[in-house]
Amino acid sequence: MNLHDLPAEGEAAFDARFDAASGNRLERLVFNHRWWLLLACALLTAFCSWQLRGLVVGASFDKMLPQGQPYIQNYLANRGQLRGLGDSVRVVVEARQGDIFDRAFLDTLAKINDEIFTLPGVDRAWMKSIFTPVVRWVEVTEDGFSGGPVLPNDFNGSPRSIDDLRINIARAGVVGSLVANDYQSSMIVVPLLAADAQGKPVDYRRLSESLESIRARYAGAPDAKVRVYVIGFAKLAGDLIAGLEKVMAFFGIAAAVATLVIFAFTRCVRSTALVLLCSLVAVVWQLGIVATLGLGLDPFSMLVPFLVFAIGVSHGAQKMNGIMQDVGRGAHKWVAARLTFRRLFLAGLTALLADAVGFAVLMVIDIPVIRELALTASLGVAVLIFTNLLLLPVLLSYVGVSPAAARRSLAQERDESRGRGLAALWHGLDRYTERRWATAAIVVALLLGAGGFAISQRLQVGDLDAGAPELRPDSRYNRDNAFITAHYGISSDVFAVMVKTPPDQCRSFETLTETDRLSWRLAQLPGVQRTASLADTVRAYTAGGFEGNPKWMTISDTQGLIDAQVSNALSWNSEFIDPPCSLIPVMAYLADHRAETLDRVVQAASAFAAEHDTPDRKFLLAAGSAGVEAATNIVVREANRTMLLYVYAAVVVLCAITFRSWRAVVVAVLPLVLTSILAEALMVLLGIGVKVATLPVVALGVGIGVDYALYLLSVQLAQQRAGCTLAEAYRRAVAFTGKVVGLVGVTLAAGVVTWAWSPIKFQADMGILLTFMFVWNMLGALVLIPALSHFLLQGQGPRAATQPAAGCTTVVPASAT
């Protein structure tokens, strides 16, 4: 039963001619047992809705680590021997007036220190502040070394004890690290455990809320005497999770915009509501399955439901449009639903599989948070196959569409066939099947591609801005980070090289000398604020043993002198040595974590390791927050092209199965390639680097963008194979699916463009890039497909004349049957 076989004499006559036993097995199974399908979907929706109560929104530091990367493997293997070089939070308390040597300020700092000390997940043994016993001072006297905690044992807030504290701070050398350079604030370094006593990861949301509660109580009042600043991955993750409520508002905005777009196209309330309902059901199924599998949402994957909803609405619009056209020609709503299912199921299935592939290829990225995002998104697209390809046509077979809307749709189609309405636009697109227009379009595309490729060569991997790029520059977190960076000599961006030796061999003169050389080499790099290692401790202690004589500010080649200083460091639990004396971290404090800064440090450290590694002494990269980011950048850089290769390979295979023509595959894929190139150029122009948050975007744009070609080309090729010329085939394809292709592009773009105003910057970046890719893929399909078809697909029909062949009729696309 072909599209234009529908008679004008009404439903009764048509129903008499329709064979209820026609169609393939799946069609008969679905439409002959509609109540069973509805019951199964209702039960599954109820089950998934119940499971949503267990859905957890959280974050994990370990899930951000690329587990298979050698640097991360080195870090994880030695994690237990490293102190404070993993996940940590830094809290700075500033005196609004005066300096820190004030009794009221110190009382407040002590209270904040004690409250943080008791928070769940804090590694209390290595928490550092001027009030913790692990922070010590050392001096040389005529009787030898003497020292103790920075906070005097008899501290009581009196002027004398405050003076003692002032002296101890100077002795300890913590100015610039735990005390600001201007003495107006003090820092509390809070290392976090990988898991709590029950083996559960730290709850970042709860920790962030606890820190905000402390901030509000001590610094929230207008007359408060202090200001509190908080930075660290846990605080960043907590802020992102707390922003989920604002993100959910964008979900509502996206749904409202999609509703307006669909309703403006159909003017039918019931069918628009059903399209939105089925898309929301898909989101419920997706999240319910995620919760059932014991997974959750994190700041990166919480955007996936938005994409699933937008994809569902766009595919639902195709089904609704087909049913509306058939009802307008006199078909019963049940028959119209079956015919639309028959025409569009395979094309829709292939398109959704391409979408799923766009998500699934993210599994090649060895970062757990990305792999969970890929799994969550793939599940969402998989359920769309049921909700939008099966459930929606069945629901429409009961509810139907508004008769007035169906008549309006048919009238618009007739007007366009007579050159009125949007006919001018469709006629303009038809011109791209002509040689002159096709050549011009391809030349413009080549110029755009060449220019975009030249710009894309400047694309960088990693963060391009200081602070947390996931948030806006004016966010509270980034303002806190800017304050700490400006007032302290060390930042939270720590890059650590681990010097690994056999037990008790870290004290050797050769090892300490090589460690000192590495420290010096890193200190010379632009972007490195300072470096620190056990060699600095030994040098200072050695000079102290000789009355502070600067001549002895060195590493002695006398092992007996070295052993004494290393023993002192061990007895005072130095963070630069582990108890077995087999690991020395060389720490470089960086001014920022920009991609170029990390690349410089990695190159210098790697070159040094290659030159100085021995069987008994290895320089292992890398620990610290900056070390983790450097390793992540390496994984992202390697995965970027591999991921694109896989997604294009999968799209090519799916298009080949659908079109059964290599020429058609080329026509479908080349516009996607242009979009990918231009998207990377746009990232350069907007100052967006390739990182964990933006890496999935290009793959998603390719997987989702091929939908346009699948719907448009499947009809065009069917028309050509029925005897139509290219121009006539494309004209009929545009008339049949062109409006909906445009609608899909607008709907997808409208669903994500609102993200550009999100307070979460990486969501805004994703929104801008996805909007660009959705719109550009739509334009590429409508313009470049006819242009490329002129050169590659002219011979697909029985003959290639300037007028339609005598046998040219409107048919159901074979590839979509």
Side-chain angles (χ1 to χ4, degrees):
M1 182 68 64
N2 294 335
L3 181 64
H4 287 278
D5 287 342
L6 295 174
E9 58 267 23
E11 294 182 6
F14 178 77
D15 293 341
R17 293 173 51 190
F18 185 82
D19 183 3
S22 64
N24 58 35
R25 289 184 180 180
L26 180 61
E27 179 187 331
R28 295 195 301 272
L29 178 65
V30 169
F31 286 93
N32 293 339
H33 304 85
R34 290 182 294 170
W35 273 108
W36 288 107
L37 177 67
L38 293 178
L39 179 60
C41 290
L43 292 175
L44 184 56
T45 303
F47 172 77
C48 290
S49 300
W50 175 256
Q51 292 297 102
L52 289 180
R53 75 192 195 285
L55 184 66
V56 177
V57 179
S60 170
F61 178 74
D62 283 2
K63 287 184 178 180
M64 297 293 295
L65 302 178
Q67 307 286 338
Q69 212 280 334
Y71 294 175
I72 299 301
Q73 290 181 339
N74 292 337
Y75 163 64
L76 294 176
N78 297 283
R79 189 178 197 170
Q81 299 166 271
L82 298 168
R83 296 159 182 173
L85 286 179
D87 191 9
S88 64
V89 172
R90 294 170 187 249
V91 180
V92 169
V93 183
E94 179 196 20
R96 289 194 172 187
Q97 295 180 345
D99 56 27
I100 67 172
F101 301 111
D102 173 79
R103 179 168 186 167
F105 172 84
L106 292 172
D107 285 345
T108 301
L109 178 62
K111 291 177 182 177
I112 293 175
N113 183 86
D114 292 344
E115 288 194 32
I116 293 175
F117 186 83
T118 61
L119 293 178
V122 172
D123 189 354
R124 300 181 180 90
W126 295 104
M127 181 173 148
K128 292 195 299 183
S129 74
I130 59 174
F131 285 97
T132 57
V134 296
V135 179
R136 304 176 64 86
W137 61 270
V138 180
E139 72 173 356
V140 181
T141 67
E142 59 186 14
D143 297 323
F145 285 100
S146 64
V150 167
L151 185 71
N153 293 325
D154 59 349
F155 182 83
N156 57 11
S158 65
R160 184 190 63 79
S161 61
I162 291 178
D163 286 341
D164 290 342
L165 175 63
R166 186 196 307 267
I167 294 171
N168 289 349
I169 287 173
R171 290 167 171 169
V174 294
V175 176
S177 56
L178 295 180
V179 175
N181 294 321
D182 58 6
Y183 290 94
Q184 291 183 348
S185 64
S186 182
M187 180 184 292
I188 304 171
V189 180
V190 189
L192 302 177
L193 299 168
D196 59 20
Q198 287 74 37
K200 297 180 180 179
V202 177
D203 187 339
Y204 289 142
R205 182 173 188 171
R206 180 181 175 188
L207 178 63
S208 178
E209 290 173 349
S210 299
L211 292 171
E212 283 300 324
S213 174
I214 292 173
R215 193 203 309 252
R217 279 187 282 110
Y218 291 99
D223 59 345
K225 303 299 183 183
V226 300
R227 296 186 182 93
V228 177
Y229 308 87
V230 187
I231 61 172
F233 175 81
K235 186 64 178 71
L236 171 61
D239 287 352
L240 293 175
I241 296 170
L244 181 61
E245 292 182 2
K246 296 180 180 179
V247 172
M248 293 304 295
F250 284 95
F251 186 92
I253 294 172
V257 171
T259 302
L260 292 175
V261 172
I262 298 296
F263 181 75
F265 175 73
T266 64
R267 308 290 181 87
C268 178
V269 174
R270 68 180 81 168
S271 58
T272 300
L274 283 181
V275 169
L276 296 175
L277 174 65
C278 288
S279 299
L280 288 172
V281 166
V283 173
V284 171
W285 287 14
Q286 174 202 21
L287 297 180
I289 295 171
V290 166
T292 303
L293 295 176
L295 303 175
L297 294 180
D298 55 58
F300 297 96
S301 63
M302 66 185 180
L303 300 179
V304 171
F306 297 90
L307 286 176
V308 171
F309 176 80
I311 295 170
V313 169
S314 66
H315 284 276
Q318 288 280 8
K319 313 303 176 293
M320 179 180 60
N321 179 65
I323 293 173
M324 188 169 294
Q325 288 182 351
D326 290 350
V327 170
R329 292 187 176 88
H332 186 273
K333 53 192 175 185
W334 178 71
V335 176
R338 290 193 61 164
L339 288 175
T340 299
F341 179 88
R342 191 175 302 178
R343 284 193 298 267
L344 296 178
F345 178 78
L346 186 56
L349 176 63
T350 308
L352 286 175
L353 289 176
D355 297 344
V357 167
F359 290 112
V361 294
L362 298 176
M363 296 290 288
V364 305
I365 305 171
D366 186 24
I367 301 176
V369 70
I370 294 295
R371 289 185 168 175
E372 286 195 8
L373 181 150
L375 177 60
T376 301
S378 298
L379 288 172
V381 175
V383 299
L384 283 175
I385 295 174
F386 294 93
T387 60
N388 287 69
L389 299 188
L390 300 180
L391 177 61
L392 179 59
V394 168
L395 288 175
L396 285 171
S397 72
Y398 281 108
V399 177
V401 297
S402 165
R407 289 192 297 270
R408 186 183 299 111
S409 175
L410 190 61
Q412 288 175 350
E413 184 179 337
R414 288 170 179 166
D415 288 343
E416 290 168 12
S417 67
R418 296 167 184 166
R420 296 195 294 266
L422 293 175
L425 175 59
W426 306 143
H427 180 67
L429 292 174
D430 292 344
R431 290 187 175 183
Y432 288 103
T433 61
E434 302 171 8
R435 179 171 293 272
R436 183 179 63 175
W437 286 76
T439 302
I442 292 175
V443 169
V444 171
L446 288 174
L447 291 175
L448 286 173
F453 181 77
I455 296 174
S456 70
Q457 296 306 295
R458 303 202 303 269
L459 184 65
Q460 296 187 52
V461 175
D463 296 327
L464 305 184
D465 300 307
E470 292 84 1
L471 299 173
R472 299 284 187 181
D474 60 349
S475 66
R476 178 64 180 268
Y477 182 95
N478 279 329
R479 295 200 308 270
D480 288 0
N481 184 79
F483 174 86
I484 294 172
T485 301
H487 290 81
Y488 286 79
I490 62 174
S491 71
S492 59
D493 297 315
V494 184
F495 186 96
V497 179
M498 297 161 282
V499 185
K500 187 73 172 177
T501 68
D504 206 37
Q505 293 303 307
C506 74
R507 65 178 70 237
S508 71
F509 169 75
E510 292 80 6
T511 297
L512 289 173
T513 301
E514 293 292 276
T515 299
D516 197 37
R517 287 172 178 166
L518 172 60
S519 183
W520 181 88
R521 182 174 295 188
L522 295 179
Q524 310 312 305
L525 299 175
V528 177
Q529 294 178 320
R530 55 169 285 197
T531 58
S533 70
L534 181 63
D536 300 315
T537 303
V538 170
R539 184 187 296 108
Y541 286 179
T542 301
F546 289 90
E547 301 177 348
N549 191 325
K551 290 183 178 180
W552 289 94
M553 188 67 70
T554 185
I555 300 173
S556 172
D557 58 0
T558 302
Q559 192 62 44
L561 290 176
I562 293 176
D563 288 343
Q565 315 318 327
V566 172
S567 297
N568 286 333
L570 283 170
S571 65
W572 292 338
N573 291 322
S574 169
E575 61 189 300
F576 298 114
I577 187 173
D578 66 329
C581 191
S582 62
L583 185 70
I584 304 175
V586 178
M587 293 188 281
Y589 297 92
L590 310 184
D592 55 64
H593 51 258
R594 292 185 176 96
E596 57 182 353
T597 303
L598 294 178
D599 288 344
R600 272 197 301 269
V601 175
V602 168
Q603 290 173 9
S606 299
F608 187 92
E611 295 173 13
H612 298 270
D613 269 354
T614 67
D616 293 330
R617 182 172 53 251
K618 300 291 184 183
F619 293 86
L620 307 177
L621 279 67
S625 59
V628 169
E629 291 199 42
T632 302
N633 287 352
I634 292 172
V635 170
V636 168
R637 184 180 292 111
E638 293 172 350
N640 189 29
R641 298 305 173 192
T642 303
M643 177 193 66
L644 277 179
L645 177 64
Y646 285 169
V647 71
Y648 272 108
V651 166
V652 166
V653 171
L654 289 172
C655 288
I657 294 172
T658 303
F659 302 137
R660 301 188 299 279
S661 166
W662 70 267
R663 295 175 184 271
V665 171
V666 173
V667 171
V669 170
L670 284 183
L672 301 179
V673 175
L674 176 61
T675 304
S676 297
I677 293 172
L678 294 179
E680 291 190 351
L682 181 63
M683 292 174 69
V684 173
L685 297 177
L686 295 179
I688 301 173
V690 181
K691 50 194 175 184
V692 172
T694 57
L695 183 62
V697 174
V698 176
L700 302 184
V702 174
I704 297 173
V706 77
D707 293 4
Y708 308 118
L710 286 167
Y711 281 114
L712 199 59
L713 266 179
S714 61
V715 177
Q716 176 188 312
L717 289 173
Q719 294 293 318
Q720 286 184 261
R721 290 164 182 166
C724 294
T725 64
L726 173 62
E728 180 64 20
Y730 183 69
R731 185 177 301 116
R732 295 189 179 195
V734 168
F736 184 60
T737 63
K739 289 186 292 185
V740 186
V741 165
L743 179 69
V744 168
V746 171
T747 304
L748 286 172
V752 297
V753 71
T754 55
W755 298 1
W757 290 274
S758 171
I760 300 176
K761 188 174 183 297
F762 81 82
Q763 181 189 9
D765 292 342
M766 290 181 70
I768 293 171
L769 292 174
L770 285 172
T771 299
F772 170 80
M773 298 187 78
F774 290 154
V775 172
W776 196 262
N777 276 327
M778 176 190 69
L779 294 176
L782 293 174
V783 174
L784 288 180
I785 283 180
L788 292 169
S789 296
H790 174 83
F791 294 98
L792 294 174
L793 297 179
Q794 286 281 9
Q796 292 297 305
R799 67 184 210 176
T802 57
Q803 298 297 324
C808 179
T809 58
T810 303
V811 298
V812 179
S815 61
T817 301

